[in-house]
Amino acid sequence: MSDTASPRTRSAAWLTLPSLLLFAVMLLTPLSLTLMLSFNEYDAARGATGGFTLSHYAAIVSDGYYLEIFLRTLRIGLITTLLCVVIGVPEAYILSRMAAPWRSVFLMIVLTPLLVSVVVRTFGWSMLLGIEGPVNMLFQAIGIGKTRMLYTEGAVITALVHVMLPFMVIPVWTALQKLDPQVEQAALSFGASRLTAIVRVVLPQIMPGILSGGLIVFGLAASSFAIPGLLGGRRLKMVATTVYDQYLHELNWPMGAAIAVILLIANLIVMLTCHRVVERQYRRRLG
Amino acid sequence: MPFLELDALSKHYGPVKAVDDVSLSVEQGEFISLLGPSGCGKTTTLQMIAGFVDATAGRIRLQGRDITHAPANSRGLGIVFQSYALFPHMTVADNVAFGLEMQKVERAERARRVEQALALVHLDAHAGRYPRELSGGQRQRVALARAIVIRPPLLLLDEPLSNLDAKLREAMQFELRTIQQQVGTTTIMVTHDQAEAFSVSDRVVVMQSGRITQIDTPYEVYEHPASEFISRFVGKTNLLPPATDGGPQRHVRPEKLMLKPAGQGRADATIVDRFFLGSQWLYHLESPLGPMVVVQVNDGSPAHPPGTAVALDWDDAILRTLPEGGR
């Protein structure tokens, strides 16, 4: 057995080499450089000076300014994810129930935000939500009055949900494709209402899809840069925009690196926790 | 008043008549099979009874109540789906309890009835398992338990055994019949397998191109098929020339033909090929009447090798003629 297995294993190992190289060069190298940089000492006059210090991490943990940014990022990430679930799951369900020609048309429409450059799309939102924008004109027309929407968390979340929706719809849609349509019929035949059938029978089966969609959305939203940068403005900072500021405005590279490392670790913790929940809850039942 | 009545039931998809003018009366406690080749409309008929497909025309009455356009979830029928359609995220016990829960049966009563139903299908030891941990036959039993636990007036079985291997299928046929007789539920089964339909049903409804072509007991369908199509669909058959010129063609089933030594029968024949089926020998023969098929019980005596000259004999009483125009 092992005689036949080992050449196969060896060739499989060789086949993974290109992707391993790619990861090593493109991901691991900059990551380890960032990690090393985050422990460098910093001098306002001379920049990163080498040596080893934990002072940047200590500053982040003890300074309320950074805590607020991290909490805001977490909040925006969670709300974005939640809204994507609330909008994306029914959207995917309806999509999966559509007849043949319409389904692909609407799937394309769902994907359109991804086809537009992030800068163009975000400027579009800032024109829409601006103080003289069409949304405000509508508000005035129906008597709500002018509302400042730009440079608020609401604007950032709206734009994030818009672009993140496909990342929720697609995994949920894939999960729905795998369902046996007779299972939903079975629930109906045993007296369940449509809503009960969806809540008790469909939703639990597509939960892994919702969770993986949620992970992607949360990860992308929590580390998003262009949207909070353009729609959040100078005051409404998220972690990624803060890292940018530290690097390019404060020129405090070690501090920027330390913030980036903490963001990475926080994201990893969220993802691994969710992954473990999925493993434990659904491995045995759904395979 | 019949227990279940289909009255001129039809389902048209544009110009296609999937089910065309189907009328059927079913008595309480009967086991009825809808038998036919794929595309004959049997599954569509079942789905109209279940409420998943809306009838184009005609009526469905259950216990005198018109349910033709009633929503599926108000009919209270027990359905076993072809794919079983078990809830994969629920244990066996939760699957079976689902219908009772929807009927708001209280917890203690629910547990008691689930236990009873699982015992009936011999799965009491597997209550805590998930469907994917069960074999095909076990899943089939869960689907059956889930359908009968709600004590439905009508049990619908959609090709319930088609996903099982041959050995298991046969065992489940008998078990299905035994369980149906124990609980006494009126049952309608859809199948394309004549052996399955014959072994479990009180009556067989043969369908072809959306229409019913024969309703009879299994024995009658086999012995007196209403058309050559049915005759060939439910078994093998040999054509014999008419007794009189211009008379109807006559049919005889292969197991009713006898092989005699050459010259001692009513027609000479030569054995072309033979197939061993375990309990039987199947012979292909060439004769002046045309190619013939004969089945003989394997009684331990040696089989005739190919090339043997034999004679065919039969009793005129077992010859069948088919109704005129029966197609």
Side-chain angles (χ1 to χ4, degrees):
Chain A
M1 276 307 275
S2 63
D3 284 352
T4 57
S6 71
R8 277 189 65 110
T9 324
R10 212 177 302 143
S11 66
W14 280 108
L15 285 172
T16 59
L17 197 66
S19 60
L20 277 177
L21 271 175
L22 190 75
F23 268 98
V25 174
M26 307 293 281
L27 190 70
L28 292 180
T29 314
L31 263 184
S32 20
L33 287 177
T34 304
L35 188 66
M36 288 191 304
L37 187 63
S38 71
F39 293 115
N40 272 193
E41 280 162 12
Y42 169 75
D43 181 278
R46 291 180 299 154
T49 53
F52 180 87
T53 174
L54 290 172
S55 63
H56 309 299
Y57 288 99
I60 295 167
V61 175
S62 57
D63 193 337
Y65 171 75
Y66 293 111
L67 184 70
E68 195 193 320
I69 291 172
F70 270 99
L71 282 180
R72 177 184 299 132
T73 304
L74 181 71
R75 185 168 61 238
I76 289 179
L78 284 179
I79 295 175
T80 304
T81 310
L82 202 69
L83 286 175
C84 279
V85 170
V86 170
I87 301 170
V89 173
E91 194 173 317
Y93 183 76
I94 293 167
L95 214 58
S96 75
R97 289 308 201 78
M98 278 184 167
W102 295 112
R103 186 162 49 199
S104 29
V105 171
F106 278 85
L107 194 63
M108 272 312 291
I109 293 176
V110 170
L111 293 182
T112 44
L114 297 178
L115 305 178
V116 182
S117 149
V118 61
V119 177
V120 174
R121 184 164 16 84
T122 311
F123 273 120
W125 276 111
S126 68
M127 279 156 72
L128 267 178
L129 301 177
I131 209 78
E132 300 296 339
V135 176
N136 257 327
M137 275 156 65
L138 181 77
F139 278 4
Q140 273 183 306
I142 58 174
I144 297 178
K146 276 193 181 176
T147 314
R148 196 182 68 93
M149 285 173 290
L150 225 44
Y151 312 123
T152 62
E153 279 188 21
V156 174
I157 290 170
T158 307
L160 280 175
V161 168
H162 177 225
V163 70
M164 297 300 172
L165 259 182
F167 296 108
M168 177 59 76
V169 171
I170 289 166
V172 174
W173 191 63
T174 314
L176 281 166
Q177 294 299 100
K178 283 192 280 183
L179 291 197
D180 175 359
Q182 285 193 331
V183 173
E184 204 180 333
Q185 284 193 342
L188 291 179
S189 79
F190 291 114
S193 66
R194 283 215 168 265
L195 186 68
T196 311
I198 290 172
V199 172
R200 291 284 312 274
V201 172
V202 177
L203 269 186
Q205 289 185 80
I206 58 170
M207 216 46 182
I210 296 175
L211 280 174
S212 56
L215 280 183
I216 300 171
V217 171
F218 180 82
L220 288 176
S223 55
S224 63
F225 168 69
I227 289 172
L230 291 171
L231 291 178
R234 302 293 315 146
R235 283 174 299 150
L236 200 79
K237 282 188 181 171
M238 281 177 73
V239 175
T241 52
T242 310
V243 172
Y244 177 84
D245 281 351
Q246 288 296 333
Y247 269 89
L248 291 181
H249 293 149
E250 310 285 331
L251 297 178
N252 189 345
W253 287 27
M255 180 55 107
I259 299 172
V261 168
I262 292 182
L263 176 64
L264 176 72
I265 291 170
N267 252 338
L268 270 180
I269 289 172
V270 172
M271 298 219 168
L272 291 178
T273 315
C274 272
H275 187 69
R276 281 191 51 154
V277 171
V278 176
E279 285 286 303
R280 201 174 313 146
Q281 290 282 315
Y282 298 101
R283 179 65 37 184
R284 183 170 167 220
R285 305 180 200 178
L286 301 174
Chain B
M1 185 184 68
F3 188 76
L4 171 75
E5 193 180 11
L6 309 184
D7 183 8
L9 198 62
S10 298
K11 177 65 190 180
H12 300 173
Y13 294 101
V16 182
K17 294 177 176 177
V19 173
D20 190 17
D21 197 24
V22 160
S23 294
L24 175 68
S25 290
V26 180
E27 294 306 319
Q28 182 152 21
E30 258 194 308
F31 196 126
I32 300 277
S33 286
L34 304 182
L35 175 69
S38 58
C40 73
K42 55 191 194 300
T43 301
T44 311
T45 305
L46 193 83
Q47 287 188 319
M48 284 193 279
I49 302 173
F52 299 137
V53 168
D54 199 33
T56 310
R59 297 275 125 205
I60 305 168
R61 275 182 285 273
L62 179 66
Q63 296 169 294
R65 191 165 54 98
D66 187 332
I67 58 163
T68 316
H69 301 294
N73 53 14
S74 73
R75 298 190 185 197
L77 309 182
I79 304 176
V80 174
F81 293 83
Q82 185 171 10
S83 65
Y84 311 143
L86 300 178
F87 307 127
H89 57 293
M90 297 186 196
T91 61
V92 167
D94 289 343
N95 261 281
V96 177
F98 187 83
L100 297 174
E101 209 181 312
M102 292 301 119
Q103 290 180 351
K104 305 204 163 49
V105 174
E106 57 113 3
R107 193 172 288 272
E109 166 80 355
R110 213 193 297 163
R112 200 179 56 77
R113 277 168 67 177
V114 167
E115 204 177 320
Q116 243 175 21
L118 285 178
L120 193 65
V121 297
H122 312 299
L123 276 180
D124 16 1
H126 296 74
R129 300 252 183 120
Y130 285 97
R132 65 185 295 267
E133 300 170 318
L134 302 178
S135 71
Q138 289 170 331
R139 287 180 204 182
Q140 213 275 337
R141 289 155 197 263
V142 177
L144 186 61
R146 186 176 66 167
I148 56 181
V149 75
I150 58 171
R151 296 181 188 151
L154 192 62
L155 185 62
L156 303 179
L157 311 173
D158 182 10
E159 304 257 8
L161 307 175
S162 62
N163 287 330
L164 303 179
D165 61 65
K167 190 89 189 157
L168 199 55
R169 184 157 57 219
E170 200 183 288
M172 277 306 293
Q173 276 172 22
F174 299 124
E175 196 164 326
L176 200 58
R177 179 59 170 171
T178 313
I179 291 172
Q180 191 263 346
Q181 281 173 337
Q182 275 178 38
V183 294
T185 311
T186 313
T187 303
I188 296 184
M189 175 171 84
V190 157
T191 180
H192 61 268
D193 180 350
Q194 42 89 16
E196 198 171 295
F198 285 175
S199 62
V200 298
S201 324
D202 295 309
R203 285 193 297 157
V204 173
V205 176
V206 187
M207 292 186 70
Q208 195 186 340
S209 315
R211 297 180 144 268
I212 293 180
T213 47
Q214 187 169 11
I215 306 178
D216 248 320
T217 62
Y219 185 81
E220 284 298 314
V221 170
Y222 187 75
E223 290 297 324
H224 297 282
S227 70
E228 188 180 335
F229 176 85
I230 298 175
S231 177
R232 292 195 182 282
F233 189 71
V234 299
K236 295 184 177 65
T237 190
N238 293 295
L239 281 178
L240 293 179
T244 54
D245 277 344
Q249 278 207 314
R250 297 173 301 168
H251 290 249
V252 61
R253 295 274 183 215
E255 71 279 6
K256 296 188 176 83
L257 283 175
M258 291 172 282
L259 291 183
K260 293 272 172 75
Q264 294 179 24
R266 299 169 68 160
D268 288 328
T270 311
I271 292 180
V272 178
D273 215 344
R274 62 170 186 193
F275 303 93
F276 182 51
L277 306 180
S279 63
Q280 298 164 327
W281 286 97
L282 175 73
Y283 293 104
H284 285 181
L285 299 101
E286 200 53 65
S287 81
L289 304 173
M292 292 286 183
V293 189
V294 175
V295 169
Q296 286 214 309
V297 173
N298 173 17
D299 57 5
S301 55
H304 307 285
T308 312
V310 292
L312 289 169
D313 202 4
W314 60 83
D315 179 357
D316 277 334
I318 51 98
L319 296 187
R320 305 283 178 237
T321 56
L322 291 172
E324 274 307 309
R327 281 236 31 100

